[in-house]
Amino acid sequence: MKIVRRISELLNRDSPLTGTVPRTGLVPTMGAFHAGHLALFAAAREENDVVVASLFVNPAQFSANEDLDRYPRDEERDAKLAEEAGVDVLFAPSAEEMYPEGYATWVDVGELGERLEGEFRPDHFRGVATVCLKLFNIVRPGRAYFGQKDAQQAAVVKQLVRDLNLGVEIRVVPTVRDPDGLALSSRNAYLSKAERETALALPRSLWAGRDAFSAGSDPVREARALMDGLDVDYLDVAELDGQKVLAAAARVGKTRLIDNVILEGETT
Ligand code: AMP
Protein backbone atom coordinates (compact mmCIF):
# COMPACT_ATOMS: atom_id res chain seq x y z
CA MET A 1 0.00 0.00 0.00
CA LYS A 2 1.23 3.42 -0.93
CA ILE A 3 0.81 6.35 1.46
CA VAL A 4 0.36 9.63 -0.40
CA ARG A 5 0.43 13.06 1.25
CA ARG A 6 0.56 15.44 -1.70
CA ILE A 7 -2.41 16.17 -3.96
CA SER A 8 -0.10 16.54 -6.95
CA GLU A 9 0.97 12.90 -6.66
CA LEU A 10 -2.61 11.77 -7.28
CA LEU A 11 -3.49 14.42 -9.87
CA ASN A 12 -0.45 13.55 -11.96
CA ARG A 13 -1.24 9.85 -12.11
CA ASP A 14 -0.60 8.44 -15.58
CA SER A 15 -3.72 7.14 -17.30
CA PRO A 16 -3.01 4.30 -19.68
CA LEU A 17 -3.27 5.40 -23.31
CA THR A 18 -4.37 1.95 -24.35
CA GLY A 19 -6.25 -0.86 -22.64
CA THR A 20 -8.88 -0.42 -19.98
CA VAL A 21 -8.78 2.40 -17.46
CA PRO A 22 -8.70 0.95 -13.93
CA ARG A 23 -11.89 1.38 -11.95
CA THR A 24 -11.14 3.32 -8.79
CA GLY A 25 -13.19 3.13 -5.58
CA LEU A 26 -12.76 5.86 -2.96
CA VAL A 27 -13.49 5.48 0.75
CA PRO A 28 -13.36 8.86 2.53
CA THR A 29 -12.60 8.56 6.26
CA MET A 30 -11.36 10.46 9.28
CA GLY A 31 -9.35 7.49 10.53
CA ALA A 32 -9.38 5.61 13.86
CA PHE A 33 -10.52 2.62 11.86
CA HIS A 34 -13.04 0.10 13.17
CA ALA A 35 -15.09 -2.66 11.57
CA GLY A 36 -17.43 -0.06 10.00
CA HIS A 37 -14.55 1.37 7.98
CA LEU A 38 -13.36 -2.14 7.15
CA ALA A 39 -16.80 -2.97 5.71
CA LEU A 40 -16.47 0.03 3.37
CA PHE A 41 -12.97 -1.07 2.33
CA ALA A 42 -14.25 -4.61 1.66
CA ALA A 43 -17.12 -3.32 -0.49
CA ALA A 44 -14.72 -1.11 -2.45
CA ARG A 45 -12.20 -3.94 -2.83
CA GLU A 46 -14.87 -6.22 -4.27
CA GLU A 47 -16.06 -3.78 -6.93
CA ASN A 48 -12.96 -1.91 -8.15
CA ASP A 49 -9.47 -2.43 -9.52
CA VAL A 50 -7.90 0.24 -7.35
CA VAL A 51 -9.03 1.18 -3.84
CA VAL A 52 -8.10 4.59 -2.44
CA ALA A 53 -8.91 5.43 1.18
CA SER A 54 -8.54 8.98 2.40
CA LEU A 55 -7.56 9.68 5.99
CA PHE A 56 -8.26 13.28 6.81
CA VAL A 57 -9.76 14.77 9.96
CA ASN A 58 -11.46 17.57 8.09
CA PRO A 59 -11.36 20.75 10.21
CA ALA A 60 -14.05 22.33 8.02
CA GLN A 61 -16.73 19.97 9.30
CA PHE A 62 -16.10 20.67 13.01
CA SER A 63 -17.48 23.68 14.88
CA ALA A 64 -15.23 25.62 17.23
CA ASN A 65 -16.71 23.91 20.33
CA GLU A 66 -16.38 20.36 18.97
CA ASP A 67 -13.78 17.60 19.35
CA LEU A 68 -11.37 18.38 16.45
CA ASP A 69 -8.35 18.54 18.75
CA ARG A 70 -9.09 15.38 20.68
CA TYR A 71 -10.46 13.34 17.76
CA PRO A 72 -8.64 9.95 17.93
CA ARG A 73 -5.65 9.78 15.58
CA ASP A 74 -3.38 6.77 15.02
CA GLU A 75 -2.06 6.77 11.46
CA GLU A 76 0.32 3.87 11.98
CA ARG A 77 -2.46 1.56 13.16
CA ASP A 78 -4.80 2.82 10.44
CA ALA A 79 -2.20 2.24 7.72
CA LYS A 80 -1.74 -1.35 8.89
CA LEU A 81 -5.49 -2.05 8.96
CA ALA A 82 -6.01 -0.43 5.56
CA GLU A 83 -3.22 -2.45 4.02
CA GLU A 84 -4.64 -5.68 5.47
CA ALA A 85 -8.04 -4.73 4.04
CA GLY A 86 -6.57 -4.47 0.54
CA VAL A 87 -6.44 -0.68 0.22
CA ASP A 88 -3.96 0.27 -2.53
CA VAL A 89 -3.46 3.94 -1.73
CA LEU A 90 -3.93 5.73 1.59
CA PHE A 91 -4.28 9.45 0.90
CA ALA A 92 -3.36 11.25 4.13
CA PRO A 93 -2.92 14.95 3.42
CA SER A 94 -2.25 17.67 5.99
CA ALA A 95 -4.84 20.38 6.66
CA GLU A 96 -2.54 22.88 4.89
CA GLU A 97 -2.41 20.64 1.82
CA MET A 98 -6.21 20.59 1.60
CA TYR A 99 -6.88 24.19 2.72
CA PRO A 100 -3.80 26.26 1.84
CA GLU A 101 -3.65 29.92 2.75
CA GLY A 102 -6.16 31.87 0.72
CA TYR A 103 -8.58 28.94 0.42
CA ALA A 104 -12.04 30.46 -0.20
CA THR A 105 -14.47 28.17 -2.04
CA TRP A 106 -17.27 26.30 -0.26
CA VAL A 107 -20.15 24.09 -1.34
CA ASP A 108 -23.54 25.17 0.02
CA VAL A 109 -25.78 22.11 0.17
CA GLY A 110 -29.04 23.97 0.87
CA GLU A 111 -31.96 22.83 2.99
CA LEU A 112 -30.82 19.22 3.42
CA GLY A 113 -27.75 20.49 5.25
CA GLU A 114 -29.81 22.52 7.70
CA ARG A 115 -32.08 19.81 9.14
CA LEU A 116 -31.30 17.13 11.77
CA GLU A 117 -27.50 17.17 12.20
CA GLY A 118 -27.36 20.51 10.41
CA GLU A 119 -29.51 22.17 13.04
CA PHE A 120 -26.98 21.28 15.74
CA ARG A 121 -23.84 21.51 13.59
CA PRO A 122 -24.50 24.55 11.36
CA ASP A 123 -21.52 24.38 8.95
CA HIS A 124 -20.99 20.64 9.19
CA PHE A 125 -22.41 19.57 5.83
CA ARG A 126 -20.83 22.52 4.02
CA GLY A 127 -17.50 21.13 5.26
CA VAL A 128 -18.43 17.57 4.34
CA ALA A 129 -19.64 18.47 0.83
CA THR A 130 -16.59 20.64 0.18
CA VAL A 131 -14.08 18.01 1.24
CA CYS A 132 -15.91 15.29 -0.70
CA LEU A 133 -15.91 17.41 -3.86
CA LYS A 134 -12.18 18.05 -3.40
CA LEU A 135 -11.52 14.34 -2.83
CA PHE A 136 -13.57 13.38 -5.89
CA ASN A 137 -11.56 15.85 -8.00
CA ILE A 138 -8.24 14.64 -6.60
CA VAL A 139 -8.90 10.88 -6.79
CA ARG A 140 -11.38 10.80 -9.72
CA PRO A 141 -13.14 7.64 -8.51
CA GLY A 142 -15.89 5.85 -10.40
CA ARG A 143 -17.48 4.89 -7.09
CA ALA A 144 -17.31 6.24 -3.55
CA TYR A 145 -18.36 4.42 -0.39
CA PHE A 146 -20.23 5.81 2.61
CA GLY A 147 -21.88 4.29 5.69
CA GLN A 148 -25.61 4.10 6.41
CA LYS A 149 -24.63 5.07 9.97
CA ASP A 150 -24.32 8.65 8.67
CA ALA A 151 -27.48 8.50 6.55
CA GLN A 152 -27.84 12.26 6.20
CA GLN A 153 -24.21 12.55 5.10
CA ALA A 154 -24.79 9.92 2.40
CA ALA A 155 -27.88 11.82 1.23
CA VAL A 156 -25.92 15.10 1.13
CA VAL A 157 -23.17 13.49 -0.94
CA LYS A 158 -25.71 11.99 -3.34
CA GLN A 159 -27.25 15.42 -3.80
CA LEU A 160 -23.81 16.96 -4.35
CA VAL A 161 -23.09 14.39 -7.07
CA ARG A 162 -26.51 14.91 -8.69
CA ASP A 163 -26.51 18.70 -8.55
CA LEU A 164 -22.93 19.18 -9.75
CA ASN A 165 -22.96 16.31 -12.30
CA LEU A 166 -19.96 14.63 -10.74
CA GLY A 167 -20.62 11.22 -12.28
CA VAL A 168 -19.48 9.29 -9.18
CA GLU A 169 -21.58 6.30 -8.15
CA ILE A 170 -22.33 6.57 -4.42
CA ARG A 171 -22.55 3.25 -2.60
CA VAL A 172 -23.99 3.07 0.90
CA VAL A 173 -22.89 0.23 3.20
CA PRO A 174 -25.11 -1.01 6.08
CA THR A 175 -24.30 0.08 9.62
CA VAL A 176 -21.89 -2.22 11.45
CA ARG A 177 -22.70 -2.67 15.15
CA ASP A 178 -20.98 -4.19 18.14
CA PRO A 179 -22.68 -7.37 19.41
CA ASP A 180 -24.45 -5.30 22.09
CA GLY A 181 -26.05 -3.17 19.36
CA LEU A 182 -24.03 0.04 19.62
CA ALA A 183 -23.15 1.33 16.13
CA LEU A 184 -19.38 1.40 15.71
CA SER A 185 -17.95 4.90 15.77
CA SER A 186 -14.48 6.32 16.33
CA ARG A 187 -16.10 8.45 19.05
CA ASN A 188 -17.09 5.33 21.07
CA ALA A 189 -13.48 5.40 22.32
CA TYR A 190 -14.45 8.42 24.45
CA LEU A 191 -17.05 6.43 26.43
CA SER A 192 -16.35 5.14 29.94
CA LYS A 193 -17.70 1.68 30.79
CA ALA A 194 -20.73 3.17 32.53
CA GLU A 195 -21.37 5.63 29.68
CA ARG A 196 -21.23 2.81 27.18
CA GLU A 197 -23.99 0.99 29.11
CA THR A 198 -26.08 4.16 28.99
CA ALA A 199 -25.35 4.60 25.27
CA LEU A 200 -27.01 1.24 24.52
CA ALA A 201 -30.35 2.99 25.06
CA LEU A 202 -29.76 4.66 21.67
CA PRO A 203 -29.92 1.56 19.42
CA ARG A 204 -32.48 -0.11 21.68
CA SER A 205 -34.86 2.82 21.49
CA LEU A 206 -34.42 3.09 17.71
CA TRP A 207 -35.24 -0.60 17.33
CA ALA A 208 -38.30 -0.19 19.53
CA GLY A 209 -39.30 2.76 17.35
CA ARG A 210 -38.90 0.62 14.24
CA ASP A 211 -41.08 -2.11 15.79
CA ALA A 212 -43.70 0.49 16.66
CA PHE A 213 -43.63 1.81 13.08
CA SER A 214 -44.15 -1.74 11.72
CA ALA A 215 -47.10 -2.13 14.08
CA GLY A 216 -48.63 1.12 12.84
CA SER A 217 -47.88 3.30 15.87
CA ASP A 218 -45.70 6.37 16.41
CA PRO A 219 -41.98 5.45 16.23
CA VAL A 220 -40.81 8.70 17.77
CA ARG A 221 -43.05 8.42 20.83
CA GLU A 222 -42.01 4.80 21.41
CA ALA A 223 -38.29 5.49 20.97
CA ARG A 224 -38.34 8.65 23.07
CA ALA A 225 -39.78 6.73 26.04
CA LEU A 226 -36.72 4.46 26.11
CA MET A 227 -33.96 7.07 25.83
CA ASP A 228 -33.10 6.90 29.52
CA GLY A 229 -29.97 8.77 30.51
CA LEU A 230 -29.43 10.22 27.04
CA ASP A 231 -29.38 13.93 26.36
CA VAL A 232 -31.25 13.92 23.06
CA ASP A 233 -30.43 16.55 20.41
CA TYR A 234 -33.02 15.22 17.96
CA LEU A 235 -35.10 12.13 17.34
CA ASP A 236 -37.11 12.22 14.17
CA VAL A 237 -38.49 10.37 11.20
CA ALA A 238 -36.67 11.73 8.14
CA GLU A 239 -36.97 11.22 4.42
CA LEU A 240 -33.43 10.98 3.09
CA ASP A 241 -32.88 10.23 -0.56
CA GLY A 242 -36.07 8.21 -0.89
CA GLN A 243 -35.47 6.32 2.34
CA LYS A 244 -37.51 6.78 5.50
CA VAL A 245 -35.29 6.54 8.60
CA LEU A 246 -35.70 7.04 12.32
CA ALA A 247 -32.63 9.13 13.12
CA ALA A 248 -31.26 10.39 16.42
CA ALA A 249 -28.35 12.23 17.96
CA ALA A 250 -27.77 12.11 21.68
CA ARG A 251 -25.09 13.01 24.14
CA VAL A 252 -23.78 10.68 26.83
CA GLY A 253 -21.59 12.76 29.09
CA LYS A 254 -19.35 14.72 26.72
CA THR A 255 -19.70 12.25 23.84
CA ARG A 256 -22.15 12.92 21.02
CA LEU A 257 -23.44 9.83 19.22
CA ILE A 258 -25.65 9.50 16.16
CA ASP A 259 -27.52 6.49 14.85
CA ASN A 260 -30.48 5.60 12.67
CA VAL A 261 -32.60 2.66 11.58
CA ILE A 262 -34.33 2.26 8.24
CA LEU A 263 -38.14 2.32 8.38
CA GLU A 264 -38.75 2.10 4.63
CA GLY A 265 -36.41 1.66 1.66
CA GLU A 266 -33.13 -0.15 1.09
CA THR A 267 -29.44 0.64 1.46
CA THR A 268 -27.87 1.06 -1.97
P1 AMP B 1 -15.63 8.55 9.66
O1 AMP B 1 -14.21 8.12 9.65
O2 AMP B 1 -16.30 8.42 11.00
O3 AMP B 1 -15.85 9.88 9.01
O4 AMP B 1 -16.41 7.50 8.76
C1 AMP B 1 -15.99 7.22 7.46
C2 AMP B 1 -17.06 6.46 6.74
O5 AMP B 1 -17.34 5.27 7.46
C3 AMP B 1 -18.38 7.24 6.65
O6 AMP B 1 -18.95 7.05 5.37
C4 AMP B 1 -19.22 6.63 7.72
O7 AMP B 1 -20.60 6.69 7.46
C5 AMP B 1 -18.74 5.18 7.68
N1 AMP B 1 -19.01 4.54 8.96
C6 AMP B 1 -18.69 5.00 10.19
N2 AMP B 1 -19.16 4.16 11.14
C7 AMP B 1 -19.79 3.15 10.49
C8 AMP B 1 -20.49 1.98 10.91
N3 AMP B 1 -20.62 1.66 12.18
N4 AMP B 1 -20.99 1.17 9.95
C9 AMP B 1 -20.86 1.48 8.63
N5 AMP B 1 -20.22 2.57 8.18
C10 AMP B 1 -19.70 3.40 9.09
Side-chain angles (χ1 to χ4, degrees):
M1 187 182 73
K2 196 170 173 206
I3 300 183
V4 170
R5 298 190 192 280
R6 304 308 297 252
I7 293 169
S8 57
E9 275 187 74
L10 287 174
L11 284 180
N12 295 341
R13 262 180 313 173
D14 289 336
S15 336
L17 294 174
T18 55
T20 47
V21 177
R23 293 165 305 171
T24 301
L26 169 67
V27 185
T29 83
M30 300 205 301
F33 293 156
H34 51 63
H37 297 106
L38 301 186
L40 269 59
F41 297 154
R45 185 66 281 166
E46 202 159 290
E47 298 176 339
N48 301 278
D49 302 315
V50 176
V51 176
V52 180
S54 60
L55 195 180
F56 181 57
V57 184
N58 177 29
Q61 67 190 67
F62 287 77
S63 310
N65 60 345
E66 291 182 344
D67 56 345
L68 174 63
D69 291 339
R70 66 184 190 118
Y71 197 83
R73 290 170 172 86
D74 188 346
E75 187 186 302
E76 210 174 303
R77 175 179 172 274
D78 285 349
K80 193 163 169 281
L81 289 172
E83 179 154 39
E84 284 166 9
V87 170
D88 299 298
V89 176
L90 186 67
F91 176 51
S94 66
E96 296 70 36
E97 180 75 0
M98 292 295 273
Y99 302 107
E101 215 178 300
Y103 187 87
T105 305
W106 300 97
V107 181
D108 177 349
V109 295
E111 188 270 338
L112 177 55
E114 288 164 16
R115 308 192 258 142
L116 304 167
E117 279 295 282
E119 199 181 325
F120 293 86
R121 308 184 72 189
D123 286 330
H124 175 67
F125 288 116
R126 167 196 199 249
V128 167
T130 302
V131 84
C132 285
L133 178 57
K134 285 172 70 70
L135 291 169
F136 294 165
N137 284 332
I138 293 163
V139 177
R140 311 256 159 184
R143 301 189 185 93
Y145 296 78
F146 293 85
Q148 174 70 29
K149 154 97 178 7
D150 300 279
Q152 189 179 7
Q153 169 172 275
V156 163
V157 173
K158 283 184 178 177
Q159 183 176 310
L160 168 80
V161 166
R162 214 168 35 239
D163 288 353
L164 298 182
N165 312 101
L166 301 181
V168 180
E169 186 185 336
I170 302 304
R171 311 278 282 136
V172 182
V173 173
T175 302
V176 179
R177 297 177 182 280
D178 265 334
D180 60 10
L182 192 66
L184 293 178
S185 161
S186 305
R187 290 189 167 99
N188 292 353
Y190 300 148
L191 297 170
S192 69
K193 205 158 172 257
E195 285 175 336
R196 204 196 143 86
E197 259 324 293
T198 307
L200 293 179
L202 182 56
R204 287 176 185 158
S205 57
L206 292 176
W207 290 334
R210 186 177 57 194
D211 290 346
F213 180 81
S214 305
S217 53
D218 180 359
V220 173
R221 198 185 53 208
E222 193 65 32
R224 171 81 61 177
L226 295 175
M227 289 199 154
D228 275 347
L230 301 179
D231 202 346
V232 181
D233 276 353
Y234 63 85
L235 165 65
D236 227 334
V237 174
E239 298 279 346
L240 295 172
D241 193 55
Q243 205 179 51
K244 195 191 282 274
V245 300
L246 179 61
R251 278 164 289 119
V252 184
K254 283 194 177 132
T255 306
R256 189 170 181 280
L257 301 173
I258 66 170
D259 198 355
N260 69 85
V261 292
I262 300 173
L263 300 178
E264 276 173 5
E266 301 292 317
T267 43
T268 47

